[in-house]
Amino acid sequence: MSKSRKQQQNEEVVQLRLFDYFNEPYLSEAGRTGQDKRYGVELLSQLEKNRISTEHLLEAIVDYGNLVKAYQRVYQNGGKGGVDKMEIKDLREWFGHNHKELQRTILAEQYQPSAVKKVMIPKASGGQRMLGIPTLKDRLVQQSIHQQLSLYYDPLFSESSFGFRPGRSARQAIIQSSKYVSSGKEWVVDIDLEKFFDKVNHDRLMQRLSKGIGDKRLLRLIKTYLRTGIMEGGLVEQRISGTPQGSPLSPLLSNIVLDELDKELEKRGHSFCRYADDCNIYVNSKKAGERVMESLIKFIEQKLKLKVNRQKSGVRHCSEVKFLGYTLLPGGGIRVSDTSIKRLKDKIRKTTKRNRGVSFTQVIKELNTQLRGWANYFKVADRWLSTFRSIDGWIRRKLRCYRLKQLGRKYTIFKFLRKLGVPENKGWSVVLYSGSWWNMSNKQAVNKAMGLEWFARNGLQPLSPQMER
C-alpha cells in the first residue's frame, strides 16, 4: 500500500532529527522550508551511501599502492622531523623495511601515533601560530587516510569552498568574489574564527565523521590522532580539542567541520567564498550584512561550537577588506592588498640587507625566486599595476646599495664606476660627496651606469613584467 504524503513527511522529519537538523535554536520552524528539508534528506542519503561503501575503508588506506602514493607526497613536501627525530632522508629506507608491519599494526588496531612536536611560528598579522609537527611515520599514515577520505568527502563539499581541495585555488576564490562584487554585492560579511584549528570540537567532528564513514576501526584511528598529545620541552600536554596545523589530515578535517557552515549559507541563498577558515559573504547593503552577521554568529557558536572573533569580524565595504592577500574594488576590480605589498617589501629588505655577507649573484638569485613566486600568486590582480614598476625601482636601488657596499673602499668604488663608463670627474664626485650608501645609490651617474641593462646582464627578473603579462 502506498504511503500517504503525511507519512512521508513524518519519515523525513525522523531522518532529519537524526542529523540534528530540527534541534537548532537559531532557526525557527517557519524558516524550515520544504526545500530545506529535501536538501537535508538528500545530504543524509549521500552520507548513508558513503557510510555503507566505507565499511572496509581501512584496507584501502593501507593498500601498498595508496601507501606508496602517500610516501611520495610526504617526501615531496619535506619538512622537519617530529619527536622521534627521524629526518626526511631516512623515510625511504624505513618505509621499504617496515611497510608490511605498518599495514599489519594498523589493521590490527595496534598502531600508536606519537606525540606531535609543538612549534610556534610568527603570524604575518602579528602574534604567533602554533603548529603541531607529527613524526614522518604519522604523516605518512595521515596522508594515506586523507587520500581515501577525500574521494568520498570532496564531491560533497560546496562549490564555494576553495581551500585544500584538488583542482581549486585561492585564485579561483578571488575571481568568484570579484564576480559577486561586480554584480553589486559590495558589502562583505567578514567572519574571523578565533583560533579555529585549536578550537575544533572533537565530539562534534567525530559525530560528523560517523555519519559518512562506516569503518569503525578508521574512526577509532582518527580519534586517536585527534587526542594525541603535544610535546614541548620534553613534556607531553594532552589535547581535548583542535586539529593543529601541520598534519596532512587537518586540512580535510577542517573542511568537513566548516562544510556545515557552507551548507547553511547555501540553504539561505547567500553568495560567499570560503578558503579554509577565511569566509566572506557578499551582500547588497550594510544593513543586510549586519542581519546576516548576527544570525551566523549564533549558528557558528551554538551549532558548530566555534568562537567568532568579534573584534576582527565585521560588515565592511569590499574596498576595506583583505581576502587571501587581495582587496576588491567597486565594480569587481582586483588589486593586491596594502598588507601584502608591505610583507613583500619586508622580505626584500631582509634579502638585500647590506651586512648579509653573501655574493651579489646569490642575492639576485634569491630575489628572483621570491618575486617569481609572489607574482605567480598575485598575477590575477588587474588594478594599480603601476605600483609594481615603482617597487622594481626601489629594488634596484636596494641592490645598488648592496653592490656598492660590497666594494667597500672609495677607490675600489671609483674603479668599478669607471669600468661601467662613468667619467672620471663624476666618479670622484659620487665617491667623495655622496655620504650614505643610500644617497650614493641614487646619484644620476650611478643610476645610469647601474641601469636596466646592467641589472639584466646580472640576471635580475623585474616584478612588473611578470605582473602585467
Side-chain angles (χ1 to χ4, degrees), residues 256-274:
I256 291 172
V257 170
L258 291 175
D259 185 59
E260 292 188 75
L261 174 61
D262 297 341
K263 296 297 189 289
E264 182 65 20
L265 293 171
E266 287 178 341
K267 283 189 289 186
R268 298 185 187 190
H270 289 312
S271 300
F272 71 98
C273 287
R274 182 178 65 79

Side-chain angles (χ1 to χ4, degrees), residues 27 44 431:
L27 191 62
L44 258 180
V431 170

Side-chain angles (χ1 to χ4, degrees), residues 58-76:
L58 202 60
E59 276 75 11
I61 287 169
V62 301
D63 176 79
Y64 181 70
N66 190 57
L67 287 175
V68 169
K69 184 179 176 183
Y71 157 76
Q72 291 170 341
R73 176 59 62 88
V74 171
Y75 191 87
Q76 180 183 359

Side-chain angles (χ1 to χ4, degrees), residues 18-51:
L18 291 174
F19 200 57
D20 294 332
Y21 185 82
F22 275 79
N23 298 323
E24 311 305 347
Y26 55 85
L27 191 62
S28 66
E29 185 65 37
R32 301 181 183 103
T33 65
Q35 183 179 358
D36 290 338
K37 295 173 184 178
R38 286 192 297 274
Y39 181 90
V41 171
E42 289 172 3
L43 180 60
L44 258 180
S45 176
Q46 185 59 54
L47 286 169
E48 177 64 16
K49 289 178 183 178
N50 283 355
R51 195 174 67 81

Side-chain angles (χ1 to χ4, degrees), residues 83 115-118 229-238:
V83 297
V116 298
K117 183 166 67 175
K118 183 177 181 179
I230 298 178
M231 179 176 287
E232 181 181 22
L235 299 176
V236 177
E237 173 187 347
Q238 292 305 308

Side-chain angles (χ1 to χ4, degrees), residues 162 167-177 273:
F162 295 91
R168 289 178 169 263
S169 65
R171 175 188 174 92
Q172 293 172 324
I174 291 300
I175 291 174
Q176 183 59 60
S177 298
C273 287

Side-chain angles (χ1 to χ4, degrees), residues 72-88:
Q72 291 170 341
R73 176 59 62 88
V74 171
Y75 191 87
Q76 180 183 359
N77 290 342
K80 297 291 185 180
V83 297
D84 64 354
K85 299 183 179 180
M86 179 190 287
E87 297 298 332
I88 195 71

Side-chain angles (χ1 to χ4, degrees), residues 23 113-114 174 189 207 261 312 374 394 397 411:
N23 298 323
S114 302
I174 291 300
V189 181
Q207 181 187 43
L261 174 61
K312 294 185 178 179
W374 198 88
W394 176 77
R397 189 171 177 185
Y411 185 63

